[in-house]
Amino acid sequence: MPRSPWRLAALAAAIVTFAAASTASADTYTVFSCKGPTGVANAAAGWAALPAATGEGRATNGCPAGGPLSALLDAANPAGGASAAWSFSAPTDTRIVRFAARRTTVGVAPPSLASKDVSYILETDAVNLETCDVSSTSACKADLTDPIDKQGIDGGFIRFRVVCTNGGLTCSRPLRADLDSIQVGLKDALAPAVSGVKVIDNGDTSGILTVGYSASDRGGGVYRAVVNVDGKPSAVQPLGGPDCADANPADADPYQFLVPVPCPAAVNGAVTKINFRSLPAGPHAIEIAVEDAAGNSTSVFATQFPKLNAENAPSTPAGVKRLLNAKLKVWFVKNRTKKFTSRYGQRVVTRGRLLDSAGKPVRGARIDVFHRLRSTGHKRLLKTGLKTRADGRITLILPLNVDTRGVEYDFRAVRPGKITSRQILRLSVMRHGRTFIRKLKSST
């Protein structure tokens, strides 16, 4: 079958050497609180209100209704030590590396006291990220209104709070801090673990490569399977529930979620299928990989699919082109032609040879043999295990009880794939001097 030069070049370029199963470098994922990346309100999962030192501090969650997380000192003169706070702890096996939010305070201005009075503080377990003290000597002279974005953090938790710093005395004013549109970047350094890999169907006959496996992950959880074709992502398959989904599929970052641990710690019995009909003309380097919520990737299975149909498959573009243009020749042994008349019950032997376009034998290539039944007009697969020998030759002895029929020999340069070389032999079977056609049921 003729092929255009560009198509041959595309097929030849697909030859890739596979490396052993590999693990990609660790990455981060982002948890959005109060409002997701598209602006839709959420419940701020993962944030916890800390108990107030006195009853005068309050922590409120207005996020489900579209409001902020708030820490408040309500009293006109809060008692010394009164406080309110919200805290977010990094999930097990993760670290906080970024914090961004829309942040405002109410009660900072105007300062009137020389000593500290009430304070707003944003901090991690390792470092103070910002402080706004109410005093005439403080650098914080007015309420905070600008967004905040702190990067390069390495923390186990992050907390914001308001506090009356006058121990044993009252403070001069109430103070409030509101945080909204919060983003917490989490570092997850551990890639998923994969086990139980099994090729359920190699796709040679069905055209669908089917691989089963299980996966587990510490940190953000098992997110998805990624099918890479010739080294580039081609398709993704979700492996988790509703929380384990990109919070904004419209942008370029797929690692955005609304809960701290969005994906399951383990997925058992996962199955990924690849239909060769969804791919450009093959062969292709195919890899199935599993990603966690942070984008860490572990290879599950790698193969060539569709595969070059030869045990001595070429490894160069020129060699692939020769195989794609290989020609199959088949004949009856008795007369070395494609037509033969035999008596019923007589042994009939056919032979053939497969050579690439350079005249070199193709070894170990599978040849499909079909019988075209004259009695019904049906095409019936006779043999799928016929392979060329080292010299590219094949031999097939037909059953003694065959009737008149055509015998079709099909070679596919890639499997699964289209027939690239076909030969049809015509056999006439005589009984008592007349052509013999067996009356067969339509099911044959």
Side-chain angles (χ1 to χ4, degrees):
M1 294 183 181
R3 291 175 178 264
S4 63
W6 70 265
R7 189 176 181 192
L8 291 173
L11 291 170
I15 300 302
V16 175
T17 301
F18 287 103
S22 59
T23 299
S25 59
D27 209 340
T28 62
Y29 64 101
T30 303
V31 180
F32 286 77
S33 301
C34 285
K35 291 184 178 65
T38 61
V40 176
N42 66 63
W47 285 90
L50 301 183
T54 71
E56 295 177 333
R58 289 193 302 122
T60 63
N61 183 356
C63 296
L69 288 178
S70 301
L72 308 94
L73 298 178
D74 296 272
N77 298 108
S83 66
W86 282 96
S87 179
F88 180 101
S89 295
T92 303
D93 294 314
T94 70
R95 299 288 289 176
I96 297 171
V97 294
R98 175 176 177 252
F99 179 82
R102 189 173 64 193
R103 173 264 290 117
T104 59
T105 62
V106 177
V108 172
S112 59
L113 302 174
S115 60
K116 286 202 304 181
D117 190 32
V118 288
S119 294
Y120 152 74
I121 302 166
L122 177 68
E123 61 194 349
T124 73
D125 51 330
V127 65
N128 186 305
L129 298 177
E130 67 173 359
T131 298
C132 185
D133 294 325
V134 176
S135 75
S136 59
T137 59
S138 171
C140 189
K141 299 296 185 182
D143 276 315
L144 304 175
T145 58
D146 293 333
I148 185 172
D149 192 342
K150 298 290 185 178
Q151 303 185 35
I153 303 170
D154 182 13
F157 70 78
I158 192 161
R159 174 176 63 194
F160 75 94
R161 58 193 177 107
V162 290
V163 60
C164 174
T165 58
N166 286 345
L169 301 174
T170 59
C171 286
S172 65
R173 70 192 63 213
L175 181 63
R176 173 178 182 144
D178 295 329
L179 268 69
D180 194 5
S181 301
I182 303 168
Q183 301 176 44
V184 180
L186 293 171
K187 182 81 169 181
D188 176 353
L190 300 174
V194 173
S195 62
V197 179
K198 180 181 179 181
V199 178
I200 299 171
D201 183 350
N202 67 8
D204 187 86
T205 300
S206 67
I208 302 174
L209 174 65
T210 305
V211 179
Y213 53 92
S214 296
S216 61
D217 183 70
R218 293 162 54 189
V222 180
Y223 180 23
R224 61 185 185 174
V226 179
V227 176
N228 296 309
V229 178
D230 301 327
K232 298 179 180 180
S234 175
V236 295
Q237 173 188 346
L239 295 176
D243 288 336
C244 186
D246 182 10
N248 186 14
D251 71 8
D253 183 0
Y255 311 109
Q256 303 173 102
F257 305 96
L258 304 180
V259 297
V261 183
C263 300
V267 174
N268 296 315
V271 174
T272 296
K273 297 183 177 183
I274 304 169
N275 191 329
F276 93 98
R277 297 170 186 84
S278 68
L279 304 173
H284 294 285
I286 299 293
E287 181 195 31
I288 299 170
V290 168
E291 281 189 350
D292 66 10
N296 301 306
S297 177
T298 299
S299 179
V300 175
F301 180 76
T303 188
Q304 188 183 76
F305 182 76
K307 290 185 177 182
L308 290 171
N309 184 16
E311 290 180 0
N312 58 338
S315 58
T316 64
V320 174
K321 185 175 180 179
R322 290 195 300 269
L323 181 63
L324 292 172
N325 287 305
K327 297 299 181 184
L328 178 65
K329 301 291 185 182
V330 184
W331 57 88
F332 288 105
V333 171
K334 287 285 188 180
N335 61 4
R336 297 191 65 84
T337 69
K338 294 183 179 180
K339 293 183 179 181
F340 182 68
T341 299
S342 171
R343 291 189 176 277
Y344 182 75
Q346 181 179 352
R347 183 174 181 238
V348 177
V349 181
T350 68
R351 289 204 173 101
R353 196 176 193 193
L354 179 65
L355 301 176
D356 68 17
S357 60
K360 296 181 179 179
V362 179
R363 171 171 55 85
R366 276 186 54 182
I367 308 296
D368 293 327
V369 180
F370 293 88
H371 280 201
R372 292 180 173 270
L373 305 179
R374 183 173 169 184
S375 57
T376 63
H378 289 179
K379 179 179 174 181
R380 184 176 66 182
L381 181 63
L382 171 71
K383 190 174 181 65
T384 60
L386 185 64
K387 282 190 174 184
T388 57
R389 300 189 291 273
D391 57 0
R393 297 182 184 274
I394 56 171
T395 299
L396 179 63
I397 302 174
L398 300 181
L400 295 177
N401 62 346
V402 296
D403 59 358
T404 297
R405 63 187 58 203
V407 185
E408 178 181 323
Y409 299 75
D410 294 337
F411 168 67
R412 293 170 169 83
V414 291
R415 297 185 67 96
K418 294 182 178 180
I419 298 168
T420 53
S421 185
R422 170 184 289 159
Q423 292 276 279
I424 298 177
L425 302 185
R426 306 291 181 183
L427 175 66
S428 296
V429 178
M430 307 293 291
R431 175 180 279 188
H432 307 305
R434 303 173 67 178
T435 301
F436 174 56
I437 304 175
R438 186 191 303 271
K439 293 183 179 179
L440 298 173
K441 294 181 180 179
S442 59
S443 61
T444 60

